[in-house]
Amino acid sequence: MLNFLLRRILYMIPTVFLVSVVTFAIIQLPPGDYLDTLAAELADSGGLDEGTRQALADQYGLGQPMYVQYLKWMKGILFHWDFGISFEKNVPVNDLIWDRLGWTFGISILTLMFIWITALPIGIYSAVRKYSVGDYVATFFGFVGLAVPNFLLALVMMYVAFKYFGQSVGGLVSPEYIDAPWSWDKFVDLLKHIWMPIVVVGTSGAAALIRIMRANLLDELYRPYVVTARAKGMSEFQLLMRYPVRVALNPFVSTIGWILPTLVSGEIIVAVVMNLPTTGPLLLRALLVQDMYLAGSLILIVSLLTVLGTLISDLLLAWIDPRIRYQ
């Protein structure tokens, strides 16, 4: 396991490097750059004069070749932990990212807990009580959760919350608490709002894992080792949790590989619809205006979290499933 861990860490370095190069190049593939976008936005107010344009190009290094801009960006990250300056905001990228990462991580971790707490017992019940009324109900809602887009579910829930419960929608707190210091009342108001994005973002993931858990557990329930353990007199609950459920847990552990990158990128459309202070809308805006340092930094963090999540998933899978460990 130690050799495996060291090899994977060594593989991560060139992987992240190549992803950063490709990301930086793709962001600059569309014609023009940030200054062209800025000039188009200012067209109605007289446009961007040539002197100002040249000064901004010199300030941001936009007149330099692409590889020079990339090396300058990576040098700042590696030696100074400096992700550059956001063109549009004219503030350090670090300030923009870290301000939103806290909310992003908090919502995503709570969403992951919601997915696991919901999908695990329902998936086990559906497999053990195959073709029962409860199984059909779980299957129906699973299909609905997979079929309904998250942003549409967000709109419906926001309408219901506002129309029938009088709750303010959009954001994580009521308008009167946005700039207010933290207090018990603000925390309670946060709890009244934060459950909605958790349910909206987690519905499709929970529905998918319910189906996966049910299918995997059904494959294991009739294996010879289960029949043997039952013949030896082991109780059904102990038998279920000790053997087939443990094997069927693999997809739950493997979700870490894709949940970590979503901590940053998240459900961008849902975040825009619900006005969430996460990094998703920030990334979308950065891509639209070709704010390459901001967009590149966010995508680089997503890529790093992807390889870290895959590594953690592989290690946990090897710990849970001896078959993987022996391989």
Side-chain angles (χ1 to χ4, degrees), residues 248-293:
L249 278 177
N250 287 7
F252 281 78
V253 176
S254 62
T255 56
I256 298 177
W258 57 262
I259 198 65
L260 280 181
T262 61
L263 294 177
V264 175
S265 58
E267 295 285 346
I268 296 179
I269 300 179
V270 172
V272 172
V273 169
M274 304 190 74
N275 193 28
L276 302 179
T278 57
T279 54
L282 194 65
L283 174 59
L284 176 62
R285 178 61 184 174
L287 292 172
L288 289 176
V289 301
Q290 291 184 263
D291 193 343
M292 61 184 185
Y293 288 147

Side-chain angles (χ1 to χ4, degrees), residues 206-220:
L209 280 183
I210 288 172
R211 301 295 301 164
I212 294 173
M213 185 68 185
R214 181 183 185 275
N216 286 2
L217 193 54
L218 283 175
D219 288 339
E220 298 296 327

